Amino acid sequence: MAKPKKNCMQPVSLPMLPLRGLMVFPQMVLHFDVGRKKSVAALEQAMLGDQRIFLVAQRDMDVDNPDIDDIFHVGTIAAIKQVLKLPGDNIRVLVEGKSRAVLRAVTQEEPYFEGALDELIPQAVPASIEVDALLRTAHTYFEEYCKMSGRVSGETMQSVLEVEEPGQLADVIAANVLTKVEDKQQILEEFDDIARLEAVCAVLVRETELAGVEKKVQARVRKQIEQNQKDYFLREQIKAIQTELGDKDATDVEDLRERLEKTPMNDEARDKASRELERLSRMAPGSPEIGVSRTYVEWLLDLPWGKTTPDNLDLKRARRVLAEDHYGLDKVKERVIEYLAVCRIKNNMKGPVLCFVGPPGVGKTSIARSIARALGRKFVQMSLGGVRDEAEIRGHRRTYIGAIPGRIITSIKQAGTMNPVFLFDEIDKMASDVRGDPASAMLEVLDSAQNNAFRDHYLEAPFDLSGVMFITTANSVDTIPRPLLDRMELIEVSGYTEEEKLNIAKRHLLPDQIKEHGLAPRSVRMSDKVLRSLIQGYTREAGVRTLQRTIGKVVRKSAVAMLDGQLETVTVTQERLEEFLGAPRYHYEKAGKKPEIGVVNGLAYTVVGGDTLQIETTTMPGTGQLELTGSLGDVMKESARAAKSFVRAHAEEFGIDPEFYKKLDIHIHVPEGAVPKDGPSAGVTMTTALVSALTGIPVRQNVAMTGEITLRGRVLPIGGLKEKLLAAHRAGIDTVLIPKENLKDLEEVPENVRSAMKIVPAEDVHTVLETALCEKPALRPKAEPLAGTLPAMPEGQQMLHA
C-alpha cells in the first residue's frame, strides 16, 4: 500500500458504520439496508451533523458485534443521500462515496462507533503520455473482460470507458469486476492513482483469462448435459418400444444402470460395468449372451462396495466374549486384544493375517468365530482341505461356459461387508496338480501389501481385501510352502493339559451336551474325579473332540436311565461310567520302579499330544551289525548311528571294550512296531540305552529324557517340550532331562507339572549319563553286555516328532 503524503491528509472525526460483505468506493453510489443498533445510531448521528459517515468493511461478515480488530482500517467517507425506514426496524440508506480515509483510533464505542480519521484529499494527476497509455490499456483490458465474461451490461461498459481520471477509473473497474471483499480492500488501500490503476489492469488480465476458462468449461458441461439428455430420451424411446414388444431385458438394463449409479465401486470396476451394460443394451432380444452379460454385471453390483462393519473396540467386552467361548488359548486372545488396542489408536489399520497351528480339536476354528463376535464383524469360512484347482481361489475366466467368481469373492458377497473375519480352514491340506497351484494363488490374498487390489479372473477388476481379518488354521507347517508361510503370523496352539480338559469339560462340553440333547440344566452331574477318569481312560488326544463325543454318549445313556427310572437327575459315578462306556480303552504306561539295563524312557511328541516311549537295547555276539526295528524313519536311524559312533569314540572313558563294534551285534527296538516314528529327539535316549547295555549299568526308571545328540556329545534343543513333560507327569516320572537351550520353553508348562518333577537341563551327554545311570561308567569295571526283551508299549503310540 502506497502511503499518502501528509499534506494530502485532513484529520476529521465521524461516526463509523461497519459493512458486512459490502465495499463502497469513492464516486460510487449505492444503497444498502441497516439493522444493527450501533449502525442505526451511527446513521442517526450522521444525519444530525453534516450527513457524512465513515463506511468500513468487516474482516469477517459473520461477526454481529465487531470491535476494532474485526474491521479494516481503510474505508470510504460517504455522503448520505436518502434514508428510508422499512418494516421491522430496518433502514435503507442511499450513499455516495466521496474520499478515502484511514482510521487512526476509535474515540467512542457506545452507543455507536466514532473514529478519528485521516481523510485523503483527492489530487489531480498531471497529464502525460504514460498516463494516457495506461488509461487506454485499462479501457482495452476492461472491454476485453466485458466481452469474455458477459457479466457487465453495455451501458455500464460505456460509462466506464468514458472515465478519463486514473484513480476514478481504477475504483469504478474494481467495483464492477472484483467480487471478493479482500480483493476490493486491496485496491481501496492503494492511495496512489497510477499504482492503483496498474494493479487493476493486472486484475483485469487475470479475470479475463479465468472468464475464458470458465466459458470453455461451461460449454463442455452444457454439451455433456445435452448429450446425456439426448441419450436419456433415446433410451426412454427404446424402452417404450421394447416394452410394447414384451421385451423385459430393456427394463432390467435400466434397473442395473440405476443400481450402478448408486454403487460406490472403484473407477475400473465402474468402467467395466458401464461398458458391459452398454453392450447388453444393444443385444438382440433372445440372444444367449444376454444371460452371461447380465450375470457379470449383477456380480459386480452385488459385491459390498464401500460397506464395512464398525469394529467394537471395547477391550473389556472382547476379553469377556473370548473367555466365555473358550478356556485357555491365551496367545490367541492376547493377539486379538493387541489388534483391537492398535485399532483404537489408528483408524485405518490393515487386517492381520494370523495362522493358528496346532493339533486337531484344540479350538482353532471355533476361536475364529469368537474373534468375529468379539470384534462385531461378520464371519465367513472356506475350507481348503483337498483344494487342487487355482480357480477355486481366483475364479474362472469369462471365456468359459458357466464361469463363476472364486470362493473368496463369493464369500465376501455372502458376508455383505468388506471387512469380515475370513477363516481359511486346513491351509496345510492344499494340493496342486495340472489345474494349477492354489497355494501360489493364496500369496496375493494373504499379502497385506497386495490384497488391496485383488483381481478375480471372473471380475477382472480390483477389489480391496485389505480390511479383511484373515485367519488360517493348520495342523502342521511342514506342508505349507515357505513363501506362503512367510506372509502369515504364526500362533502355536498346543494341546490341552489334563487340567485344562477338565475345566473345558465342566464349563463348556457337559452343559452344551445337556442342552443339545434337550435335558434340563444340571440334570446330568459328574464329579471332577469321574471326569478325570473319563479323560484318562476313554480319550487320547491333544484336543477335546473325542471328549465331547464321549460326554455326549454319557448324556444319552443318562437320558435313557432317567426315563427308565422316572428320575429328574442322574449322577454319574465311577461304576456308572464303566456301565455306560464299558471298560477304559487307554491306560497310561507308568514308569517302572526297578532300574533296568538297556531300557530308557524317552519322550515323544505326537499329533495327539505327548507320550512316553521306552527304547530297548540289547547286545549279542556277532560281527558289529546295528539292527534297528520299530518302523523308524530315516532321521531316527541316523540318530542311532550317531549314538553308536559317539559311544565308540568314548568307549574307554565309559569302561567299554574298544573292540565291541567288532565282536557284538547291537539291536535297538522302539515299540510299538506298527506305528511309524521319526525325528532326532531320541538321540540322547538311544545313547543312554547303548551305554547301559554295553556297561551293564542299570538305568533309573523314574527318569525320562529327550534331546538330539551330536557326534561331539552335545545335546541340541527339541520341540514339543510342553506335551512331552505332560506325558512324563502322567507316567509318574519325577525326573526329566531336557536340553539346556529348552529352558526358555518351560514357561509354557503348567506350574503344577513343573513343581511335581525335577527338571535337569543337559548341555552334553555326560550330564545325561550321570543323572540316568545308577553308577558312573568310568568307576565300574567292564561288565559283560546283557541282553533281554521287555513288554511293548500300550496301543495308540503315534509318530515320534521333533
Side-chain angles (χ1 to χ4, degrees):
M1 182 180 70
K3 295 182 179 179
K5 298 178 181 179
K6 292 184 178 179
N7 57 5
C8 298
M9 306 300 288
Q10 176 181 336
V12 293
S13 180
L14 291 174
M16 292 170 49
L17 197 157
L19 300 176
R20 294 194 287 187
L22 189 64
M23 177 76 68
V24 178
F25 284 94
Q27 314 303 322
M28 181 178 175
V29 179
L30 81 163
H31 63 81
F32 54 87
D33 295 341
V34 178
R36 290 185 287 190
K37 291 182 179 180
K38 282 189 177 183
S39 300
V40 172
L43 193 61
E44 292 173 348
Q45 180 64 28
M47 294 299 294
L48 294 176
D50 59 358
Q51 298 183 356
R52 294 208 308 167
I53 192 167
F54 180 56
L55 303 177
V56 60
Q58 287 185 201
R59 297 180 186 275
D60 186 357
M61 63 181 297
D62 295 328
V63 176
D64 287 330
N65 297 309
D67 55 25
I68 187 64
D69 294 327
D70 294 323
I71 61 176
F72 293 103
H73 289 186
V74 177
T76 304
I77 295 177
I80 302 173
K81 296 295 185 180
Q82 185 182 11
V83 175
L84 178 65
K85 288 193 174 182
L86 301 175
D89 297 332
N90 284 344
I91 296 176
R92 179 165 294 170
V93 58
L94 180 68
V95 298
E96 180 184 2
K98 291 297 183 182
S99 60
R100 286 171 168 77
V102 180
L103 176 63
R104 287 190 285 105
V106 176
T107 58
Q108 177 181 321
E109 294 188 6
E110 296 294 341
Y112 58 87
F113 284 114
E114 185 168 329
L117 313 172
D118 285 337
E119 181 181 4
L120 177 67
I121 305 300
Q123 302 290 323
V125 178
S128 66
I129 296 177
E130 290 184 359
V131 173
D132 291 342
L134 182 59
L135 287 170
R136 186 177 298 176
T137 302
H139 288 154
T140 303
Y141 284 163
F142 182 69
E143 193 172 3
E144 290 178 356
Y145 170 77
C146 293
K147 292 178 180 178
M148 184 60 71
S149 67
R151 297 174 183 170
V152 182
S153 65
E155 295 80 2
T156 303
M157 182 180 72
Q158 192 60 37
S159 63
V160 172
L161 294 177
E162 291 175 357
V163 178
E164 296 294 337
E165 201 280 317
Q168 183 182 354
L169 180 61
D171 291 342
V172 174
I173 292 176
N176 284 281
V177 173
L178 298 178
T179 56
K180 293 183 179 179
V181 173
E182 293 80 5
D183 295 338
K184 291 182 178 181
Q185 182 68 30
Q186 187 176 359
I187 299 299
L188 187 66
E189 291 179 357
E190 182 56 68
F191 292 98
D192 185 85
D193 295 346
I194 301 300
R196 185 159 70 250
L197 187 55
E198 289 177 349
V200 168
C201 287
V203 171
L204 282 172
V205 173
R206 184 192 69 191
E207 292 295 326
T208 303
E209 291 179 357
L210 285 175
V213 174
E214 287 178 1
K215 207 168 184 180
K216 292 180 182 178
V217 171
Q218 289 171 359
R220 190 165 59 244
V221 171
R222 191 179 299 109
K223 183 179 179 182
Q224 183 66 36
I225 292 174
E226 291 173 355
Q227 182 64 38
N228 290 341
Q229 289 176 341
K230 179 181 176 182
D231 292 346
Y232 176 75
F233 178 71
L234 292 175
R235 279 198 300 268
E236 287 297 315
Q237 281 187 325
I238 294 173
K239 181 178 177 182
I241 293 170
Q242 290 176 332
T243 303
E244 288 295 324
L245 294 174
D247 183 11
K248 297 181 180 180
D249 292 332
T251 306
D252 293 343
V253 170
E254 289 306 314
D255 292 342
L256 293 174
R257 207 183 298 275
E258 290 178 7
R259 287 182 58 191
L260 177 61
E261 293 175 358
K262 299 176 183 178
T263 304
M265 60 178 63
N266 58 59
D267 293 340
E268 186 175 344
R270 184 177 299 278
D271 180 59
K272 287 184 177 295
S274 299
R275 283 192 280 126
E276 194 66 29
L277 277 175
E278 204 62 39
R279 179 170 168 264
L280 180 60
S281 64
R282 293 194 301 268
M283 288 183 184
S287 171
E289 290 292 319
I290 288 180
V292 177
S293 291
R294 187 193 297 118
T295 302
Y296 173 72
V297 175
E298 287 176 348
W299 264 107
L300 279 174
L301 297 177
D302 288 342
L303 290 177
W305 301 97
K307 296 179 182 178
T308 58
T309 306
D311 286 339
N312 191 325
L313 302 179
D314 187 349
L315 302 186
K316 291 184 179 179
R317 177 187 173 278
R319 289 191 178 97
R320 185 180 70 251
V321 169
L322 294 173
E324 285 175 0
D325 294 345
H326 291 81
Y327 180 86
L329 301 178
D330 295 331
K331 286 184 180 179
V332 178
K333 295 176 181 177
E334 182 181 351
R335 181 62 182 88
V336 175
I337 297 301
E338 289 172 0
Y339 173 70
L340 286 177
V342 174
C343 283
R344 290 186 64 173
I345 300 171
K346 184 180 180 184
N347 293 329
N348 59 344
M349 183 67 181
K350 289 185 177 180
V353 181
L354 308 178
C355 181
F356 300 155
V357 181
V362 295
K364 301 186 297 297
T365 303
S366 57
I367 191 68
R369 294 182 181 274
S370 298
I371 291 172
R373 192 162 75 90
L375 293 174
R377 293 189 182 189
K378 296 293 184 66
F379 176 78
V380 287
Q381 178 179 353
M382 175 180 174
S383 178
L384 296 175
V387 172
R388 295 174 174 270
D389 192 352
E390 179 190 354
E392 292 279 342
I393 309 298
R394 289 184 176 273
H396 301 82
R397 299 192 184 276
R398 286 199 294 147
T399 52
Y400 298 104
I401 296 175
I404 57 172
R407 292 171 62 183
I408 293 177
I409 291 295
T410 304
S411 299
I412 293 292
K413 174 188 171 183
Q414 172 192 344
T417 174
M418 293 183 70
N419 65 336
V421 173
F422 202 127
L423 174 66
F424 289 114
D425 207 9
E426 309 292 354
I427 196 171
D428 57 329
K429 307 297 191 302
M430 283 191 298
S432 61
D433 60 12
V434 294
R435 291 171 289 182
D437 183 8
S440 299
M442 291 292 293
L443 295 177
E444 180 186 1
V445 178
L446 299 182
D447 191 343
S448 58
Q450 301 181 44
N451 62 11
N452 60 342
F454 171 72
R455 286 181 177 272
D456 187 273
H457 286 161
Y458 180 80
L459 298 182
E460 296 178 336
F463 190 83
D464 188 2
L465 297 177
S466 60
V468 179
M469 183 177 190
F470 287 109
I471 297 177
T472 65
T473 67
N475 299 129
S476 172
V477 298
D478 297 340
T479 57
I480 302 177
R482 183 59 53 184
L484 183 59
L485 192 64
D486 185 59
R487 284 162 168 78
M488 301 184 290
E489 179 182 345
L490 293 183
I491 298 179
E492 291 190 8
V493 184
S494 57
Y496 292 117
T497 66
E498 185 176 300
E499 202 66 31
E500 289 173 335
K501 289 182 180 181
L502 178 64
N503 281 284
I504 291 171
K506 286 197 301 182
R507 298 184 186 185
H508 299 285
L509 301 184
L510 183 57
D512 290 349
Q513 288 297 318
I514 291 174
K515 181 179 179 181
E516 185 177 334
H517 289 86
L519 301 181
R522 300 185 59 80
S523 57
V524 178
R525 301 177 181 177
M526 301 175 71
S527 65
D528 288 2
K529 182 178 180 182
V530 173
L531 279 173
R532 202 179 294 274
S533 298
L534 188 151
I535 293 168
Q536 292 177 348
Y538 298 93
T539 66
R540 173 172 289 185
E541 58 177 345
V544 291
R545 282 207 183 103
T546 304
L547 178 60
Q548 182 182 23
R549 288 193 291 269
T550 307
I551 290 176
K553 185 176 182 180
V554 171
V555 170
R556 291 192 296 273
K557 296 283 188 181
S558 301
V560 174
M562 291 165 66
L563 293 176
D564 288 343
Q566 300 296 318
L567 304 174
E568 292 186 359
T569 62
V570 170
T571 300
V572 181
T573 61
Q574 193 74 37
E575 294 76 15
R576 183 165 274 177
L577 182 67
E578 293 195 14
E579 178 187 339
F580 287 166
L581 302 178
R585 296 175 56 196
Y586 303 108
H587 300 275
Y588 282 99
E589 185 74 14
K590 292 291 183 180
K593 296 181 180 180
K594 182 180 178 182
E596 295 187 51
I597 297 173
V599 180
V600 184
N601 292 316
L603 296 174
Y605 174 40
T606 72
V607 293
V608 296
D611 206 347
T612 55
L613 188 72
Q614 281 194 329
I615 294 182
E616 306 168 357
T617 303
T618 186
T619 60
M620 61 207 79
T623 58
Q625 293 184 358
L626 177 63
E627 187 74 21
L628 302 172
T629 56
S631 297
L632 307 186
D634 292 339
V635 177
M636 203 165 184
K637 290 178 180 179
E638 290 173 358
S639 295
R641 296 189 189 99
K644 180 183 177 183
S645 298
F646 173 79
V647 173
R648 180 179 169 187
H650 297 77
E652 294 185 359
E653 180 183 347
F654 297 144
I656 300 173
D657 181 4
E659 301 293 324
F660 78 90
Y661 67 93
K662 297 180 181 179
K663 305 174 183 177
L664 298 174
D665 288 345
I666 300 173
H667 188 165
I668 298 177
H669 179 63
V670 185
E672 297 173 350
V675 179
K677 312 168 190 70
D678 204 0
S681 62
V684 293
T685 315
M686 291 180 174
T687 304
T688 305
L690 272 174
V691 173
S692 172
L694 292 170
T695 60
I697 301 175
V699 180
R700 295 185 177 93
Q701 295 302 298
N702 64 331
V703 177
M705 62 189 69
T706 181
E708 181 180 353
I709 190 175
T710 69
L711 292 176
R712 293 179 293 167
R714 290 180 56 229
V715 180
L716 301 182
I718 45 81
L721 183 67
K722 174 185 175 182
E723 287 76 8
K724 292 178 179 181
L725 292 183
L726 292 175
H729 179 64
R730 286 195 301 265
I733 290 171
D734 56 24
T735 304
V736 179
L737 285 151
I738 67 170
K740 190 174 183 180
E741 294 183 35
N742 280 111
L743 284 175
K744 63 182 183 301
D745 300 324
L746 286 177
E747 61 182 20
E748 299 180 4
V749 181
E751 176 61 31
N752 64 317
V753 175
R754 282 183 287 170
S755 59
M757 61 176 59
K758 178 183 178 183
I759 298 175
V760 181
E763 202 167 5
D764 54 42
V765 175
H766 295 87
T767 304
V768 176
L769 296 176
E770 289 175 6
T771 305
L773 298 180
C774 294
E775 301 175 21
K776 290 185 178 181
L779 302 179
R780 177 182 172 86
K782 187 172 74 172
E784 288 296 326
L786 299 178
T789 57
L790 290 167
M793 287 284 294
E795 290 186 11
Q797 177 60 53
Q798 302 296 321
M799 179 179 289
L800 177 69
H801 188 62

